[in-house]
Amino acid sequence: MAAFGAYTAAWTTVVRMRGRPLPDRPVPWDVALTAVATFRLSRLLSKASVTSPLRAPFTTFHGSQGPAELHEEARDEDGKETVGELVTCPFCMSVWVVSSLTAGQLLWPRATRTAMGALAALAGADALQLTYSALVDRTTGE
């Protein structure tokens, strides 16, 4: 909690130093885009096989878990368990991701929205891949 507080305080300080105004209210499109991007990036960081080397120092591999996702558990070693819990939990990771994306929207709105659009497209592509696989399985009886 202290690390997240320090992280958030650092972003807040940078936003204030740059004099960026806060919006009066969130734009619904930005909320939806942020939600989808947060979902996809959180799962990418916490479950994807391609990012397992980033989690490896803090986790132990236990097998596959869904398409292109892994089941890993936090190491019981001192100092690694807390980080391991964070990096294997998409719900925990999403708090950090949404904070980063929100700060990014305030500091670098065009670049951040571009990245969020790419993550949203990836989430859509994943949904299409899973739908396609389910339809193939259903029609071929496998």
Side-chain angles (χ1 to χ4, degrees), residues 6-16 96 99-100 103-104 107-108:
Y7 181 71
T8 304
W11 274 119
T12 302
T13 301
V14 172
V15 169
R16 282 187 179 166
W96 290 78
S99 297
S100 300
L107 294 170
W108 311 285

Side-chain angles (χ1 to χ4, degrees), residues 114-134:
T114 300
M116 290 192 313
L119 288 165
L122 180 59
D126 290 348
L128 290 171
Q129 293 287 0
L130 293 171
T131 301
Y132 178 81
S133 293

Side-chain angles (χ1 to χ4, degrees), residues 95-109:
V95 175
W96 290 78
V97 169
V98 77
S99 297
S100 300
L101 293 176
T102 300
Q105 288 180 69
L106 294 171
L107 294 170
W108 311 285

Side-chain angles (χ1 to χ4, degrees), residues 38-92:
T38 297
F39 161 78
R40 189 63 204 111
L41 185 55
S42 296
R43 290 209 71 86
L44 182 66
L45 292 172
S46 64
K47 295 290 182 186
S49 56
V50 298
T51 55
S52 64
L54 301 173
R55 297 185 304 273
F58 309 101
T59 63
T60 303
F61 175 76
H62 284 274
S64 296
Q65 176 183 322
E69 291 192 344
L70 303 178
H71 172 70
E72 298 166 317
E73 293 185 8
R75 292 183 187 259
D76 288 334
E77 302 168 23
D78 288 338
K80 292 187 177 185
E81 186 173 10
T82 302
V83 176
E85 290 292 333
L86 170 67
V87 300
T88 59
C89 172
F91 298 99
C92 305

